[in-house]
Amino acid sequence: AGMDVVSNRIFISKLASRVAAIASEEENVIIQGMDGRQYEIAFDPLDGSSNLDSGLPTGSIFGIAPYKQGQQPFSGGGRSLIAAGYALYSASTELVVSIGQKGGACTASGFTLDPSLATKTDCGDGECFVLTRPELTCPQRGPFYSLNDAREPDWPAGLLRWVHDAKRGQVPSGTKFSARYSCALVADVHRALLHGGWAGNPRPHLRLLYEAAPLAHIAEACGGRGSDGVRDLL
């Protein structure tokens, strides 16, 4: 089985007894969890899987919303999310989590895996991660944009103009943008959250439920924004 399939199996096996419903980018149907649970979770178990053979970054993305008995799962839209997160598997393994909803306190924090803690016999799930970014805040401006330039023929006119201007410093900040693209949306968004700028995938195959909405929730918690270029993603 491919690593996408293996990752999906691991996610489902760990979560099925903890939530009421599961939606995975690798599944065609909603998976029912455990009766009496209060939450539903949607996830992309392995983002950027084509990078694996090259040793480049990959990641996982998830979004959590309240489960309402008698309603169709995952019908609440992006604003129903109460938490979201991603894991970045690269030079280090980082876990970024956002908690809260618009109108209330919504914050994001980052944790880094410390493999040395895994050798402790009393180290349980999650206890091998150390808080390394207590209050993530996205800079208002940054020097990078991240997207696949080879897909330029698919871009809308507004994006074409912006990239043209950004390369030449013809933007309000006067910054001449540089391109950074890893083919893993998690990695590109992570860079944008830490250093500012823009990361995206302006093609219709990007999935709102599993990828775009959770990442937009995290971006808002960091003071950024998720958009399709016209509308708020949440």
Side-chain angles (χ1 to χ4, degrees), residues 114-123 128:
D114 183 348
S116 69
L117 296 178
T119 61
K120 297 182 177 180
T121 56
D122 61 346
C123 184
C128 297

Side-chain angles (χ1 to χ4, degrees), residues 7 45 66 116 122 128 151-152 155-156 178 196 198 232:
S7 300
S116 69
D122 61 346
C128 297
R151 301 300 182 186
E152 181 180 332
W155 297 351
S178 296
W198 180 86
D232 190 302

Side-chain angles (χ1 to χ4, degrees), residues 63-173:
I64 299 171
Y67 174 78
K68 297 183 179 180
Q69 191 71 34
Q71 291 188 11
Q72 178 69 19
F74 307 102
S75 59
R79 286 294 170 200
S80 68
L81 290 174
I82 60 168
Y86 62 79
L88 172 64
Y89 315 123
S90 186
S92 60
T93 297
E94 295 202 39
L95 174 66
V96 173
V97 179
S98 58
I99 299 175
Q101 291 181 293
K102 190 170 184 178
C106 190
T107 60
S109 301
F111 304 81
T112 302
L113 179 67
D114 183 348
S116 69
L117 296 178
T119 61
K120 297 182 177 180
T121 56
D122 61 346
C123 184
D125 289 347
E127 295 179 3
C128 297
F129 282 86
V130 178
L131 178 63
T132 49
R133 307 184 193 276
E135 295 182 13
L136 272 174
T137 302
C138 180
Q140 291 187 357
R141 301 183 186 277
F144 306 120
Y145 72 88
S146 303
L147 80 171
N148 187 350
D149 276 311
R151 301 300 182 186
E152 181 180 332
D154 300 334
W155 297 351
L159 181 58
L160 280 168
R161 289 194 302 271
W162 185 86
V163 171
H164 175 276
D165 293 347
K167 290 177 178 178
R168 293 160 177 79
Q170 298 170 358
V171 292
S173 66

